[in-house]
Amino acid sequence: MQSDSEKLSSASATASDRAPIDEGDQGQSETIALPSHVAGSGTLDRLVETARDYARAAASENTLKAYAKDWAQFARWCRLRGTDPLPPSPELIGLYLADLAAGSGPSPALSVSTIDRRLSGLSWNYAQRGFTLDRKNRHIASVLAGIRRKHARPPVQKEAILAEDILAMLATLPYDLRGLRDRAILLLGYAGGLRRSEIVSLDVHKDDTPDSGGWIEIMDGKDGGGALLTLNAKTGWREVEVGRGSKDQTCPVHALTQWLHYAKIDFGPVFVGTSRDGKQALEARLNDKHVARLIKRCVLNAGIRSDLPEKDRLALFSGHSLRAGLASSAEVDERYVQKQLGHASAEMTRRYQRRRDRFRVNLTKAAGL
């Protein structure tokens, strides 16, 4: 008759044999394979590789990197304490979460949102190794609830870029090829309420490149037409309609067509790098960090929020400032803004609205008081 400790040791050994611990391993190669009783063949082997490709596509590259880092940090934490991360132990993970919230030694205490994301990373990693981590287990749920109650803070919101800010930022850009591109990025991102990853993932046509996150279609119409963006976004596929502006200088569709024309882009990524002299478009797709850097640079050059030190101004603005700007500036029914941003709820849209008449709908008076 085995003791509980012997059972645990046996389970750990079995788990280790089945999925050896590698801090950089994401577990997918071991998870997706031919069953042991099935004879291999060229066709089946190719299907295994195809299945692995689809599994990798289930999450973005950045998400997979974050999950791999989460597992490496947890595995190191376990090793330093003489324990094993496999099989999953709710008690051990509860202690790990408490340590993250309290901070130990040189490691600072983490925010509630970061701890929650770390837990999601562990859940994913355990699933890849054939285990299930029950987040509702009392050892995990009660510790996490206590962390939220004691340490939760309202989310830090980035400053919204409003219409007058965009105009000032556009005025700082040169009129070379690079300036045309950056002008199109700012106007399209603002009018479309796009995430920075959505901006740079656009292709000219559907299926131009394997890493495409959507494509564009320039359309004419009785109301002036515009650009229809089909996006494979964070929340799934959605269409974003970007209408033409009142004048060419501030029209996102005009800026987009000008960039594509002078950059001679008719296939592949819409937004690419330029040569050092800014006169020739290259083939490589821009990284989404370019959007954040562009916004911060233009904010400084345009003198926006010049009442603050430069460091504070840089911290206030990011890629999300474009989405918040559209939500705050568009004088239309809230449901249209919600659709444009791709939000599942009006409450999420309201988080992006930095300036709105909060009491325009007065339920107190409507209730007779």
Side-chain angles (χ1 to χ4, degrees):
M1 191 76 174
Q2 283 184 315
S3 67
D4 289 342
S5 60
E6 289 173 333
K7 290 178 181 178
L8 182 58
S9 299
S10 175
S12 298
T14 302
S16 298
D17 292 340
R18 184 168 50 209
I21 301 170
D22 179 353
E23 293 186 3
D25 176 33
Q26 295 177 18
Q28 288 167 326
S29 297
E30 290 75 21
T31 303
I32 300 176
L34 284 175
S36 57
H37 63 278
V38 175
S41 69
T43 301
L44 288 177
D45 289 340
R46 285 193 295 271
L47 283 176
V48 169
E49 290 304 317
T50 301
R52 288 176 180 169
D53 288 340
Y54 280 128
R56 283 189 286 269
S60 71
E61 183 179 350
N62 287 339
T63 299
L64 292 177
K65 287 180 179 178
Y67 285 169
K69 189 175 180 180
D70 292 338
W71 182 258
Q73 289 168 333
F74 178 58
R76 182 175 182 274
W77 184 90
C78 290
R79 187 170 63 249
L80 291 175
R81 285 153 184 82
T83 186
D84 197 318
L86 294 173
S89 165
E91 296 89 344
L92 185 65
I93 291 175
L95 295 177
Y96 175 62
L97 299 181
D99 195 26
L100 295 180
S104 58
S107 301
L110 300 183
S111 67
V112 175
S113 59
T114 301
I115 292 173
D116 203 38
R117 195 199 59 73
R118 288 271 186 100
L119 184 57
S120 296
L122 294 185
S123 297
W124 186 90
N125 275 284
Y126 275 121
Q128 303 312 302
R129 290 163 172 79
F131 296 98
T132 299
L133 178 62
D134 183 10
R135 295 181 55 150
K136 295 182 179 180
N137 181 284
R138 64 184 179 88
H139 294 285
I140 297 175
S142 59
V143 170
L144 196 57
I147 291 172
R148 288 195 179 110
R149 183 176 179 85
K150 187 172 182 179
H151 298 292
R153 297 287 185 274
V156 177
Q157 294 184 323
K158 295 298 181 180
E159 189 90 351
I161 291 175
L162 305 178
E164 59 267 27
D165 300 325
I166 281 286
L167 296 179
M169 292 166 68
L170 294 176
T172 69
L173 296 174
Y175 283 92
D176 59 4
L177 194 61
R178 187 178 297 145
L180 287 178
R181 179 201 64 194
D182 290 345
R183 194 170 272 103
I185 287 175
L186 290 177
L187 286 171
L188 193 68
Y190 180 78
L194 304 179
R195 300 176 178 89
R196 66 186 194 184
S197 59
E198 293 171 346
I199 297 172
V200 300
S201 70
L202 285 168
D203 277 2
V204 178
H205 309 104
K206 181 181 180 182
D207 298 329
D208 275 358
T209 63
D211 60 340
S212 170
W215 65 93
I216 61 173
E217 184 180 357
I218 307 298
M219 308 177 71
D220 296 321
K222 62 180 181 179
D223 296 322
L228 177 64
L229 314 180
T230 304
L231 299 171
N232 186 7
K234 182 179 179 181
T235 54
W237 285 98
R238 82 176 196 275
E239 290 184 344
V240 173
E241 300 164 358
V242 179
R244 294 185 183 273
S246 55
K247 51 186 177 181
D248 286 348
Q249 291 87 337
T250 59
C251 175
V253 182
H254 179 75
L256 176 63
T257 54
Q258 288 288 98
W259 156 247
L260 293 176
H261 173 73
Y262 287 104
K264 298 181 174 60
I265 296 175
D266 56 11
F267 181 85
V270 170
F271 294 113
V272 297
T274 60
S275 58
R276 190 177 297 272
D277 60 8
K279 295 181 178 179
Q280 182 180 356
L282 306 178
E283 294 183 359
R285 186 189 303 275
L286 282 180
N287 188 287
D288 66 341
K289 292 180 181 177
H290 172 81
V291 180
R293 289 194 295 264
L294 171 64
I295 290 171
K296 292 177 184 291
R297 184 177 73 247
C298 289
V299 162
L300 289 181
N301 293 343
I304 297 170
R305 292 304 307 269
S306 57
D307 56 308
L308 298 174
E310 180 176 310
K311 181 181 179 181
D312 294 339
R313 293 164 67 194
L314 289 173
L316 271 180
F317 295 92
S318 72
H320 255 56
S321 296
L322 295 177
R323 282 167 67 79
L326 176 73
S328 303
S329 301
E331 298 291 339
V332 296
D333 191 301
E334 192 176 72
R335 57 184 169 166
Y336 295 114
V337 179
Q338 179 183 339
K339 179 179 182 296
Q340 188 83 339
L341 298 183
H343 288 155
S345 68
E347 180 59 34
M348 178 59 72
T349 301
R350 293 187 188 112
R351 294 184 190 178
Y352 282 75
Q353 295 171 328
R354 307 295 189 262
R355 300 180 187 177
R356 66 184 179 91
D357 185 357
R358 293 180 177 274
F359 304 106
R360 181 165 55 91
V361 178
N362 190 322
L363 293 181
T364 305
K365 291 181 179 179
L369 299 180

